[in-house]
Amino acid sequence: MKQFRYGLTLVIFLALPPARDLLESVMAFHMHMQMMLLFVAGLLMAPFFQKHFGHIFGKYNETGLPGVVLFLIILLYWMLPRAMDEALELWYVELWKFISLPFLAGVPLRDSWKKISRTFEVVLFLVLMVIFAVLAYLYIFAESTLCNNYLMIDQQTVGWGFAFLVLCIIMYILLVLFTDQSQYFGDDSESA
Amino acid sequence: MKKDFVISGVILFLGGLLLFFSTNGFTAFTMEAQRLQDLKDRPPEFPNIEVVDNKGRKYDFDEFEGKHMLMTFIYTSCATACPEMSSNMKYVYDMIDPALYEDDLVFLSVSFDTERDTVEVLDRYAGYFEADGGSWRMLRVPDEDDLEDILDMYGVTVIPEGDADYQHNTSFYLIEPDGRLGEVLDYREVGQAVETIEAAVAEDAEVSAR
């Protein structure tokens, strides 16, 4: 329950006008901090929903695949340059951002995470890596501004942010592949 | 297991619909693209503004009504895109059949930095590109609301960058004789710009000849 409270507090904090203004004033903050934190808030709130609406998750997210698909769809939507512009200009898109990222991306992913296999986890990371690599390329080398509300330099910063994420994912995958996780986390990681 | 595939399929389908509708059928991934689509669909309306050209002449913008216009938006102290855009515009200007400039076509470079781009500055700038002030004019828009109007009308975004610079759209805007936005052309593709302009003017000449 503690986690739920932290998650909810985080969403409310992010929704406060000063926090919103600050985080939306710079494109990199907007994409790599605000959206990321909203997603994290969803992760934190997941156990609460699993406890109270466990039967729904049990029924509709049995193998974890639907949750992952939902997460990827929401992720892809928010990677559209226009989605970010519209969040700044249309209030209902902004509201949609505060609902979709925590509740339709964070919550289902955490519910799925326990259910999917180790291999699927790595595949998912690889998929994310490809998506982020494409975006890094797009934002760094785009010759015109993709978001009307931000400058070129902001856009390139976001691109490098994506490149950094790709690097992190690569390092994580290498770490998982070449170290024996069971030495650190007991038997819950070494099932395959 | 099978049920989960069905559910995933449904989510994919709904997600596909979401992406489809939010990108106008996968045609507009940026707001800019959407705006251009909307602008083209807008009913014709001629900008009702007053301009001053690099020869100091003052007139209403309807002066150009009935002509195709190739328009760019610049500021003369720009050190990056504008000089390149203007010199490409000169290429286009030189490549097009001069007969067209008589009554079918006019080139306009509109400054959005009204404060610094005075008539003298614009005339000097026009000199660099051999713009004659007739078939290629450099314009300033003295009234701030008027400037806002025309930028808004053709979907040009100008964001101040630092103290003395602006970030702005760098495209050739081909405007129809009725004031509607015809095409937005890549300023780097000079050859293609010439073709598009000549085709647009020729098409109109045909229509009026009939």
Side-chain angles (χ1 to χ4, degrees):
Chain A
M1 253 356 57
K2 225 176 175 179
Q3 282 194 13
F4 175 71
R5 254 179 257 138
Y6 287 145
L8 194 63
T9 314
L10 187 53
V11 174
I12 293 171
F13 172 73
L14 289 170
L16 293 176
R20 263 184 48 204
D21 282 351
L22 176 69
L23 289 176
E24 288 172 3
S25 63
V26 178
M27 192 177 175
F29 285 180
H30 192 180
M31 191 160 237
H32 291 314
M33 281 180 73
Q34 191 198 46
M35 292 193 188
M36 204 74 106
L37 285 173
L38 282 172
F39 167 69
V40 169
L43 292 181
L44 289 171
M45 285 187 281
F48 173 84
F49 290 101
Q50 284 168 316
K51 195 173 155 203
H52 292 270
F53 305 97
H55 56 284
I56 298 179
F57 288 107
K59 197 169 158 197
Y60 294 107
N61 198 19
E62 207 180 326
T63 56
L65 181 67
V68 171
V69 172
L70 183 58
F71 160 75
L72 282 176
I73 291 279
I74 298 298
L75 177 94
L76 275 179
Y77 174 80
W78 285 108
M79 296 297 116
L80 294 176
R82 72 177 286 177
M84 212 156 59
D85 260 339
E86 283 176 337
L88 294 171
E89 289 175 24
L90 307 168
W91 66 270
Y92 51 86
V93 181
E94 181 76 359
L95 181 68
W96 164 239
K97 179 170 74 190
F98 276 81
I99 293 171
S100 62
L101 282 169
F103 302 107
L104 298 179
V107 172
L109 188 71
R110 181 152 177 192
D111 184 61
S112 295
W113 201 249
K114 285 268 169 259
K115 299 173 182 172
I116 61 180
S117 68
R118 193 100 196 126
T119 325
F120 193 3
E121 268 176 37
V122 174
V123 170
L124 183 57
F125 268 117
L126 286 172
V127 170
L128 288 180
M129 192 182 83
V130 171
I131 295 176
F132 291 157
V134 170
L135 285 163
Y137 175 79
L138 178 74
Y139 282 114
I140 295 173
F141 297 106
E143 293 194 10
S144 57
T145 46
L146 298 167
C147 281
N148 284 344
N149 288 291
Y150 295 111
L151 296 173
M152 231 17 210
I153 185 82
D154 280 335
Q155 188 169 306
Q156 284 157 1
T157 313
V158 167
W160 286 109
F162 277 118
F164 180 72
L165 280 178
V166 172
L167 187 72
C168 291
I169 294 176
I170 292 174
M171 293 202 302
Y172 176 76
I173 292 176
L174 290 178
L175 182 84
V176 172
L177 285 180
F178 292 105
T179 56
D180 181 5
Q181 295 294 301
S182 62
Q183 287 180 11
Y184 304 98
F185 299 111
D187 50 9
D188 74 323
S189 57
E190 196 59 3
S191 51
Chain B
M1 189 67 199
K2 198 176 153 208
K3 194 180 66 188
D4 268 23
F5 280 116
V6 175
I7 296 165
S8 302
V10 171
I11 294 175
L12 265 182
F13 177 70
L14 292 177
L17 282 185
L18 170 75
L19 293 176
F20 181 83
F21 284 110
S22 58
T23 55
N24 203 12
F26 301 120
T27 57
F29 291 96
T30 62
M31 231 176 163
E32 191 57 27
Q34 180 65 52
R35 216 152 53 124
L36 292 179
Q37 286 183 6
D38 292 346
L39 283 173
K40 283 189 193 174
D41 295 340
R42 206 142 88 171
E45 183 194 0
F46 215 78
N48 181 21
I49 62 168
E50 197 180 62
V51 293
V52 177
D53 69 13
N54 57 310
K55 299 285 174 213
R57 286 169 300 197
K58 195 175 195 180
Y59 39 79
D60 286 340
F61 200 78
D62 348 0
E63 172 95 8
F64 305 115
E65 195 163 1
K67 288 182 181 182
H68 285 268
M69 289 156 265
L70 186 75
M71 213 182 309
T72 53
F73 296 87
I74 54 158
Y75 66 108
T76 59
S77 31
C78 171
T80 50
C82 307
E84 201 188 333
M85 191 159 73
S86 300
S87 58
N88 282 11
M89 197 158 165
K90 179 166 167 48
Y91 274 119
V92 178
Y93 182 80
D94 290 340
M95 275 158 81
I96 284 178
D97 176 10
L100 294 183
Y101 295 119
E102 272 168 30
D103 3 66
D104 295 326
L105 182 64
V106 62
F107 276 46
L108 303 172
S109 298
V110 182
S111 162
F112 47 78
D113 186 4
T114 317
E115 205 178 308
R116 285 183 291 174
D117 291 345
T118 57
V119 172
E120 297 77 49
V121 174
L122 282 178
D123 200 38
R124 197 174 342 126
Y125 196 70
Y128 300 152
F129 301 101
E130 294 162 37
D132 59 0
S135 47
W136 184 0
R137 308 179 192 199
M138 306 268 172
L139 303 177
R140 68 194 291 269
V141 187
D143 189 273
E144 214 168 287
D145 291 338
D146 281 357
L147 181 62
E148 199 100 326
D149 263 9
I150 190 165
L151 292 179
D152 185 52
M153 193 154 181
Y154 297 121
V156 182
T157 337
V158 176
I159 313 175
E161 189 177 25
D163 289 334
D165 283 301
Y166 297 95
Q167 186 153 327
H168 58 104
N169 305 57
T170 48
S171 296
F172 292 150
Y173 291 80
L174 183 62
I175 315 288
E176 304 276 315
D178 58 8
R180 206 156 26 99
L181 177 69
E183 292 294 335
V184 177
L185 305 166
D186 188 339
Y187 78 94
R188 288 177 228 94
E189 304 288 335
V190 181
Q192 203 186 344
V194 173
E195 266 172 45
T196 316
I197 296 164
E198 288 189 328
V201 175
E203 195 179 312
D204 254 44
E206 245 172 63
V207 172
S208 53
R210 244 184 262 153

